[in-house]
Structures are given as structure tokens and as C-alpha cells.
Amino acid sequence: MTPDAAISVTDLHVWRGEAHILHGVSLTVPRHQVTALMGRNGVGKTTLLLAIMGLLPATGSIRMADTELVGMPTHRVAQRGIGYVPEDREVFGGLTVAENLRLAERPGSDPRYDHVFELFPDLQGRLGQVAGTLSGGQQQMLSLARALLEPRAVLLIDEPTKGLAPIVVEHVVAALQRATEDTTVLLVEQNLWVAEQLATDVIVLDHGTVTYTGGMRSLVDDPALAGRHLGVEVR
Amino acid sequence: MSSFVLYTITGLGLAGLYFLLASGLSLIFGLMSVLNLAQGAFFAVGGFAAWMVMDLLGDVPLDLRFVLAVIVAGGAGAAVGTVVERGFVSRIYGSHVRQILLTLGLGTAGVALLGGWFGWDPRILQQPAWFVQTTQIAGANIPNSRLLILAVAVVLFLALMVFLTRTRHGLIIRAGVENPSMVRALGIDVGRSFTIVFALGGALAGIGGALGAVYFNGISPGLGTDQLIYAFIVVVIGGLGSVPGTAVAAVIVALTQVYANNYLQAGLGSISVVVLLAVVLLIRPQGLMGRVRP
Amino acid sequence: MSRRSAVFVGIVGLLAVVPFLPFGIPILFSGSLDSAGTLQVLAVGLVFAALAMSYDILFGSTGLLSFGHALPFALGSYGTNLLMIHAGLPYPIAIVVAVASSVLIAVVVGALALRTVGVAFAMVTLAVAEAFSLLVLTDPLRILGGEEGLPLATAQVPALFRGVVNLPNVYWLALALAVATFLIGRRVVSSRAGRVFAAIRENEPRVEMMGLRPFPFKLASFVTASTLAALAGSVYLLVVRGSNVGITTPDFTLAIVVMVVLGGAGRLWGAALGGLVYGILTLRLAAVATSETIDALPHWLSGPLSEPLFILGVLFILFVLFAPGGLSSLRPRITRRPRRGPMDGDPMSPGTTA
């Protein structure tokens, strides 16, 4: 394990039902920076986050500091300081915004409501609103706010801009830029522009294995490389 | 008119019993996807606990003894619920079918155990004399016991709503009914909530058993299981996991049953309820207030 | 002949000669094997074996947890009996008409219930079966016998099956039923449709992705299971000489679930074993329970021990906890690889995504 790695994954295999999704993935998530996890649809990016959270059974190793996370119950993984912002937000639609946030408080801690409301002022005025009636962008902010309410060692963020209108995307990206300063983040992102704004490094997955690891800039500046790994035309 | 009032209040008393049996069922299913087939046994345990208190504490005045009986019934139900969850259901997480089958076995064995101890004939609960007296409401003579059952059920419904909306455990349960994985991902041990809903469901069903022993003029081992079918129907109509939905559905089901029995033909009540269920499922499979499709 | 077929023929042959065996099996049966009491118990066990196998097609093979399987069984019994009493049909013809009607009812009920999935499916099937049970109990037309039950229309029964003297014939009929159900069930499960059943149990969305509509297959499974159950019901009518409201109740449906799980869901012969054991135990435990050894125990022990359902319930709990594959999984595994059964799936929450 490299000394500056927040999380290191070694030879991880994950199945969903009978489908073998991750075939021996090994990667490290560097400390105090944003790392983008990219690749085509269905290559296992979300699966990797779910496995780290203990929401899918896995074999292999996921280490955080000196702790092995494989086999650990989800709530214990979260208690280790991993914040999770899932794909599709997964806010509790029948609960109010305030209740959604209260669930994220750790008993006996000092939740950072000021910090969260500074990032997402929209939420402060809607504390009594039922989360299911929020717009997609507001739900995304609530989902991020839940993860940011307590200080976290690592944030796992899954496609925060998926399905949002371009203006909202810019707003979310701006908030994320401020929120993730000096924080360890593993960010799943399909949108290259968003990844470029936020991430320092990038890891590309394909067919359940890692095909590229390196700086975000070098990927973006080399259209051939980006095209090969992401199957996209860059600009 | 006076008979209508009588039927309505009788129906509401029955609705109270259905609610006590069904609300725990609904929370357990909503949170854990486990259809608890042992819930009827919890009801019977409560009924017999109440019967024993009334029978053994002969020196205590009847009114006070009945209050004690209801409390002991709730406690016994909660204890049995906790044992069932901690000792059995929690051993096989991850397989809902096996958990349901397990509660089937526990319910069957539990009812037979009570039958072995107490026999299968109903045991009549001693009760304060004013229970069988009547109060006149809108020209109808209503047995006081019906009013008492209704009052207790309403108080417990309100208490349950306060618990669910005003406490952290309640908050976790409501969130868990929607999405238990996300609750875990926020660092919360949902397993503790599983035990809480089983204990809560057991307590409510146990109190239901004590009151049911009054409503049905006696407690027998199979009484809870006989009512369980209607509780299931209430849960599905109300929407799995929704306590207000369960309350509304309990009233609809009980009134349909009582009206059909009295205005159409005796015996048609139960069949009407089944037809009602089929209609609701076909039109609105998620139930009246359910957020998730079953 | 393969080894498996040889075992099958051996077991059937052994069961077939039971009425000629003048000795008993202590504890298990009260009298000798050829006595009327024992044959009666065994005949009930064999009908239950057939019933359990029919349910296994639905639950074990296709993964559909129905809580209404008592309905087709009861329809077979009541239908056949009613046709004999009121239409004067002879027993064999009454069976054909009753089973054919049950098929129609199964198509309608199945088409309705299968609009729902998971626990809602269990509830709808339970509700429909309960509706019939209540119909029998309240008996608005005064033809179903209500709580008393409906005695067998003996006059319409062939002489061959009448009276205690002919009990061996009734026993052989029950055996023939069990054998026929096994052969048909095996045929169904190993057919192309049967493989789709298994695929639905394992992963229904994937069946859809493969371009197959699961609904017709689920309906086919439901109707096949119901038909076989109705047939079993019509034989049960003869074995217990009447139709009893007990076989219409949700309790009886749950008993069928217990039989299949006890024997081993997902294996026809396991389900058959479960049905046979259940039939024998429920009838025999009651007798064993009143024995002197148990009476000598203190009441808090002897009371429950004299309840057959207590012992069966405890047995069932132990199996679900420690041997979810049932009795049939307990034999030493030499060649068998571990397999997925209906207990591993999660039909309760089919919409679940991780």
C-alpha cells in the first residue's frame, strides 16, 4: 500500500447475482484529491462503489488505512468515515429535507450545518419540504449535503450530474469544487467536462478491469488516448 | 339509525384490533420484507398473559387488574417478538423466503404450544362489570368494552405516530422502510431497528390479544391466527410499511365486514373483504398509501 | 435401466406389496402393515405426497410462493363429490369433470393473481382460497355441508372401492396417484418449459431480457400444479370418505408449504417424501402423544408434546434453520453439486436493486 493512498483495492472480484462484474480490479485512491473513475456504461464503476460500501459481496481486498473493508457490514464501513452519494441520489422521498439531514448526523458529533447550507443555500429554505417533491437538482444537493454534513475521510460520489439540466450541472460542479477541496474523493463520472473540472487523476475501467491510470490532464490533452479509453471524441 | 350506530362502533372496535395486529406486521414487512406469520401467535400470547393476570391476581381490584393485564400482555408480546427476531429471524438474513418460512414454523409451533398448555377451548377473561354495561350514543346502546377497545387503539395509534415521527429510532424505521441500504450507508445499524420493530409489533399484537379476549368473549390459541388473514388484508390494502395507511385500511376492512354481515347476510362479511382486497390489488397494487409496490 | 429408475421401481414395488405384509413397524404404525388403520394412514400420506409434488412444481421449480394451494385440492374433493351427489355421475366421470372445471378456475385465478408478484401474489392466492373456504363454511346454498363437511356419495363409487374390505384398492389408487404425479411432474420439470420455469425462479428479469414473456410460463406452471392438486383432491375424497372444510383453510395451505420444505423444495421426490412423512406424522403423532411415557411427564412438557403441530412446527423450524434443503438434502452428498433452490431466491422483493 502506497503511503499516500486513502483506499487501496487489490484483486477485487464482484458478482451481481450470477454476473461476474469486476474481474480482479486493483487500484489506489490517492489522499486529499479528487480521482475520477471513468469508462463506458456497465463496466462496473457503480459496482465498485457498492462493493467498497459493503452493499455487494466481494472477494479480494479493499483496505483503508490498516482496516480491511471486505466483509465488513455497510454501517461499519460508513462509520469509518466513508461518505456515499449514490447514483440516482436515493434521498428518502417520504421524509423532509431536515429529516434526511438528521439521519446523516452521527450521534454525539457536531454536524456541520453551516458548511452544508453555505454550499447549498437552496436547502436551508426547504427544510420542512418532503424530499420526494424536490427537483432533481435539489435532490442531488440534498444527497451531497447528507454526505458532507459530517467530516469524512473519503467521499464516494456516483454520477452527481446525471440527468440534470446544464445550468444545474454547473451549479453542482461549482459546489463540488468548493466542497471537495483537500478531500479524498472517488468520483464516478460519464461527463468528461465535469470530470475535468473536478478531478486531478483518472482511473478508467473496461470489462471489469483497470485499463488506464494517470493524470486527468494527460488524458484530456491526448484525444487519441481519451478516444481509445473512453470511446468518446474529445471536443 | 340506532342499529347503524351500533354496527359502526362495533366495526370501529374491530378495526382497532385489526390495527393492533396489522401495524406491526406492516412495519416488519416494510423494513425487512418479512411477512411475519408468527404475528397471530404474538396476539395469542398477549391474550393468555392477560388471562393469567386476571386469573392469578385475585386480590387486586378488577379495574386495576385489567390495566395490569393489558400492560403485561404488551410486555409479553414484546418479549416474544424480541426473542423471535434475535434468536431466529436474524440468524438467516439475506433470504426472505427462509425468514417467512421460519415465522410460519414459529407461529405453528407457538400456537400448538399454547394449545398444549391451555387447551383449545376459549378461556373467558374476567372483566370489570362496567365493560358489559352500555352507553347510549345517538339512540344506540353501545357496550362499553367496544368503546374501550376503540379508545385504546386510537391512543396507541397516536403514540406510534409520535414514536415514528418524533424520535430518532422512528426516523430510522421510516427511512429504512423506504431504503434500508441507504440507511446503512449513512452509518446506521438497521439491524437494531429490526429488533425494535419486532418488539413493537409484538407489544401491539399482545395488547391486541388482551383486548381481543374481551371483544371475542374469550381467548383461544388460534384466535390470533384466525384474525391474521384480515390483518394481512389490512396491511396490503393500506400499503406495506405505512402506519396511517394501515389505520385507514383497518377501518375500511372492519366496517365492510360488519356492514356486510348485518345488512347483506351473515357470513358475507369475510367474503366481501376478500373481494375488496382483490379489487384494490388489481387497481392499485401498492395499496392506498404504500410508497413501494409489494 | 439406470440406477435411478431401478431405485424408483424398487420403492414403488415395495409400496405396492404393503397390503400383503402381515407384520408391523413398531412406533411408526399401530397395527401390522396390512391392517386397515395402517393402510388408511399410508393412503393419506401418499395423497399428501402427490399434493406436495404438485406444489413443488409451482414453488420449488418456478419459485412462485402461493398461499392458496389448498384451493385446487379442495375443488377436486368438493367438485367430484358434488357431481356425484347432485348430478349422479359415477366416480370416474365426476373426477374428469371436476378436474376439468378446476383447470378453468385455475386459468382464471392464475391470470388474475399473476398480475401481481412477490408477497402480493401470495396474498391474492391466499385471499381467493380463503374466499372459497368461507363459502364452504357459510354455505349460502346449503349444498357444501358447512362445518360438518360433505360425506362421500358412496352410491356413486364403484364397488371395487367400497367398504373396509376394499381398502387395499383405495390404497393402490392413492399409490397410483402418487406415481402418476411423480412421472408427470418429472416430465414437466425436465421439459423445455420446465427449464424456463427454473430460469424464472433464478432470475426473472433475465428471462425477459432473453426475449421470453414469463407470464405464459408462470400461468402454465400455476395451471399444471393446480390440475395435479385437483386430481389429488378427488382421490383424497375417497380415502377419507368425504370433503371436509379443513382442506379449504389457509392452515392447510401452510401445511402444504411445510410438507414441501420439510422434504426439500425443488426436488420432486423430496416433496413426495415430505408429504408422506407429514401425512404419517400428523396422524401418528397424535396417537404416540397420548402414550403413557408422555403422560408421565409434567404437564408443561406433556401438553405441548401431545400436540402434533408443536412437534412438526419445531421440526420445521430446525429444518429451515439448519437444513433448508429439507430431508432430501440430508443423504450423504457424493456426486451432487450444491444447487440453488427456491430458498436462495428472493421472490418477495423482485424489484430490489442493490
Side-chain angles (χ1 to χ4, degrees):
Chain A
M1 183 163 173
T2 43
D4 61 340
I7 289 183
S8 54
V9 174
T10 317
D11 194 27
L12 191 73
H13 290 261
V14 183
W15 283 262
R16 292 180 99 154
E18 284 152 43
H20 193 176
I21 307 281
L22 296 184
H23 308 256
V25 166
S26 297
L27 54 85
T28 55
V29 181
R31 228 182 268 282
H32 304 307
Q33 66 168 60
V34 178
T35 305
L37 183 62
M38 304 189 73
R40 293 182 186 82
N41 266 325
V43 295
K45 303 184 298 289
T46 297
T47 302
L48 176 63
L49 298 199
L50 289 168
I52 296 175
M53 288 311 294
L55 289 166
L56 283 177
T59 63
S61 164
I62 302 169
R63 296 189 75 83
M64 180 179 170
D66 286 326
T67 314
E68 177 59 58
L69 301 185
V70 168
M72 187 182 276
T74 299
H75 65 275
R76 299 262 305 282
V77 173
Q79 286 166 5
R80 298 254 151 204
I82 301 189
Y84 178 49
V85 183
E87 201 180 9
D88 305 322
R89 344 308 179 205
E90 301 198 21
V91 298
F92 301 106
L95 274 53
T96 63
V97 171
E99 286 173 331
N100 267 276
L101 290 172
R102 209 182 311 144
L103 276 169
E105 291 175 14
R106 300 240 40 76
S109 76
D110 186 17
R112 305 183 296 179
Y113 278 100
D114 292 346
H115 174 61
V116 162
F117 290 144
E118 194 194 315
L119 287 169
F120 309 109
D122 227 15
L123 294 179
Q124 193 160 16
R126 301 182 179 273
L127 284 174
Q129 190 174 338
V130 175
T133 64
L134 295 173
S135 71
Q138 290 160 346
Q139 290 194 9
Q140 185 62 60
M141 292 172 205
L142 178 57
S143 187
L144 286 163
R146 258 186 340 200
L148 295 168
L149 189 64
E150 299 282 345
R152 312 276 184 185
V154 175
L155 286 173
L156 307 177
I157 306 179
D158 198 345
E159 296 212 46
T161 61
K162 185 178 161 192
L164 300 182
I167 178 99
V168 186
V169 170
E170 282 178 33
H171 182 66
V172 168
V173 168
L176 270 174
Q177 273 174 330
R178 277 181 294 146
T180 57
E181 264 171 28
D182 213 29
T183 309
T184 308
V185 180
L186 183 59
L187 171 77
V188 169
E189 190 50 76
Q190 296 269 48
N191 182 327
L192 190 60
W193 179 81
V194 173
E196 195 186 337
Q197 303 303 306
L198 296 169
T200 322
D201 284 352
V202 60
I203 298 170
V204 179
L205 280 186
D206 198 10
H207 291 101
T209 52
V210 175
T211 54
Y212 175 84
T213 307
M216 190 75 223
R217 284 252 63 86
S218 34
L219 185 72
V220 176
D221 292 342
D222 186 344
L225 191 66
R228 196 159 67 243
H229 285 293
L230 301 175
V232 292
E233 295 290 320
V234 180
R235 274 182 281 273
Chain B
M1 178 61 200
S2 73
S3 65
F4 176 76
V5 174
L6 175 65
Y7 297 152
T8 304
I9 293 183
T10 303
L12 290 176
L14 187 62
L17 292 179
Y18 286 167
F19 173 76
L20 291 176
L21 199 53
S23 50
L25 213 54
S26 181
L27 283 178
I28 291 170
F29 187 87
L31 193 62
M32 307 168 66
S33 302
V34 173
L35 194 64
N36 179 24
L37 294 167
Q39 194 84 357
F42 297 174
F43 184 93
V45 165
F48 279 105
W51 177 83
M52 284 175 76
V53 170
M54 297 311 283
D55 198 54
L56 296 176
L57 303 182
D59 301 335
V60 182
L62 265 176
D63 284 336
L64 178 62
R65 222 193 303 166
F66 188 77
V67 173
L68 279 178
V70 170
I71 293 171
V72 170
V80 174
T82 308
V83 169
V84 163
E85 202 279 331
R86 281 287 89 205
F88 296 90
V89 176
S90 68
R91 291 168 152 267
I92 45 175
Y93 277 142
S95 175
H96 300 316
V97 175
R98 268 175 77 196
Q99 288 179 326
I100 291 166
L101 294 174
L102 191 60
T103 64
L104 165 62
L106 289 164
T108 308
V111 167
L113 183 70
L114 291 172
W117 282 341
F118 297 99
W120 294 93
D121 294 329
R123 301 255 175 150
I124 311 295
L125 200 70
Q126 287 186 53
Q127 37 190 290
W130 61 271
F131 275 31
V132 286
Q133 290 158 9
T134 59
T135 300
Q136 223 181 38
I137 297 175
N141 290 317
I142 312 292
N144 289 329
S145 60
R146 300 285 180 274
L147 296 172
L148 177 82
I149 291 169
L150 185 56
V152 173
V154 168
V155 168
L156 287 174
F157 166 69
L158 294 175
L160 188 59
M161 288 310 291
V162 168
F163 170 76
L164 287 173
T165 54
R166 297 272 181 270
T167 68
R168 183 168 171 85
H169 282 308
L171 182 61
I172 293 171
I173 289 168
R174 280 188 299 142
V177 166
E178 276 190 44
N179 187 343
S181 299
M182 195 58 223
V183 175
R184 288 198 188 91
L186 290 172
I188 296 163
D189 180 5
V190 183
R192 279 176 57 195
S193 304
F194 292 172
T195 314
I196 292 172
V197 287
F198 256 91
L200 207 58
L204 292 167
I207 293 173
L211 300 177
V214 174
Y215 187 95
F216 295 105
N217 295 317
I219 179 75
S220 57
L223 186 62
T225 314
D226 291 344
Q227 305 307 315
L228 197 58
I229 305 274
Y230 302 110
F232 282 151
I233 292 176
V234 165
V235 168
V236 175
I237 289 181
L240 297 158
S242 164
V243 170
T246 304
V248 171
V251 171
I252 293 174
V253 167
L255 286 181
T256 303
Q257 202 173 356
V258 171
Y259 290 154
N261 272 334
N262 288 294
Y263 289 120
L264 299 177
Q265 194 192 337
L268 271 191
S270 318
I271 295 175
S272 320
V273 168
V274 171
V275 173
L276 186 69
L277 170 73
V279 171
V280 168
L281 274 173
L282 292 178
I283 298 172
R284 202 178 149 80
Q286 73 272 40
L288 296 178
M289 300 194 185
R291 299 188 51 82
V292 280
R293 287 175 65 107
Chain C
M1 202 192 299
S2 75
R3 211 183 114 242
R4 291 181 69 122
S5 325
V7 170
F8 175 69
V9 170
I11 290 174
V12 173
L14 208 61
L15 284 168
V17 298
V18 162
F20 300 118
L21 304 176
F23 54 86
I25 302 176
I27 303 173
L28 200 54
F29 300 110
S30 55
S32 63
L33 285 173
D34 59 357
S35 71
T38 304
L39 285 180
Q40 172 78 17
V41 169
L42 280 172
V44 168
L46 286 168
V47 173
F48 281 3
L51 176 61
M53 284 188 276
S54 75
Y55 187 63
D56 193 52
I57 293 174
L58 195 59
F59 173 59
S61 296
T62 323
L64 292 170
L65 184 60
S66 160
F67 278 166
H69 204 60
L71 178 64
F73 186 71
L75 283 176
S77 172
Y78 276 91
T80 308
N81 210 0
L82 283 175
L83 287 165
M84 291 197 290
I85 296 170
H86 294 284
L89 295 182
Y91 181 61
I93 310 283
I95 291 184
V96 173
V97 179
V99 171
S101 324
S102 306
V103 173
L104 287 180
I105 294 173
V107 171
V108 175
V109 171
L112 185 95
L114 287 167
R115 286 175 50 114
T116 60
V117 292
V119 75
F121 173 74
M123 309 299 336
V124 179
T125 48
L126 176 74
V128 175
E130 171 72 358
F132 180 70
S133 182
L134 293 166
L135 191 71
V136 171
L137 259 182
T138 50
D139 196 12
L141 297 177
R142 303 268 160 261
I143 54 167
L144 293 166
E147 218 171 319
E148 322 281 88
L150 202 60
L152 175 69
T154 321
Q156 310 300 324
V157 174
L160 163 82
F161 294 128
R162 272 187 237 156
V164 181
V165 198
N166 286 317
L167 200 59
N169 293 341
V170 174
Y171 168 83
W172 281 317
L173 182 68
L175 179 61
L177 169 80
V179 170
T181 307
F182 179 78
L183 293 176
I184 295 170
R186 199 175 56 173
R187 193 72 189 258
V188 169
V189 171
S190 58
S191 68
R192 199 186 77 91
R195 283 195 294 276
V196 180
F197 293 173
I200 290 172
R201 179 191 73 207
E202 299 277 323
N203 191 342
E204 189 171 334
R206 209 176 55 187
V207 173
E208 279 174 77
M209 276 193 287
M210 282 158 51
L212 286 171
R213 280 211 319 134
F215 180 81
F217 289 96
K218 294 203 289 194
L219 187 61
S221 170
F222 188 86
V223 173
T224 310
S226 301
T227 308
L228 291 172
L231 192 64
S234 64
V235 174
Y236 191 64
L237 164 70
L238 195 62
V239 173
V240 298
R241 334 210 118 256
S243 312
N244 189 292
V245 69
I247 59 169
T248 66
T249 60
D251 282 351
F252 189 70
T253 284
L254 297 180
I256 302 171
V257 179
V258 172
M259 292 175 205
V260 170
V261 174
L262 213 56
R267 288 189 196 102
L268 276 175
W269 70 269
L273 183 64
L276 190 66
V277 167
Y278 186 95
I280 295 173
L281 279 187
T282 40
L283 294 175
R284 283 296 305 156
L285 279 177
V288 173
T290 49
S291 68
E292 287 169 15
T293 352
I294 288 190
D295 274 349
L297 294 169
H299 175 71
W300 65 270
L301 255 182
S302 68
L305 286 180
S306 59
E307 296 293 338
L309 280 179
F310 176 72
I311 297 172
L312 270 168
V314 169
L315 212 60
F316 182 73
I317 293 166
L318 293 176
F319 268 100
V320 173
L321 277 179
F322 302 112
L327 283 169
S328 63
S329 69
L330 293 183
R331 67 185 181 142
R333 271 175 230 188
I334 303 160
T335 53
R336 188 171 288 279
R337 64 189 171 86
R339 48 185 270 175
R340 276 173 65 89
M343 316 283 273
D344 301 314
D346 192 0
M348 285 300 119
S349 46
T352 314
T353 51

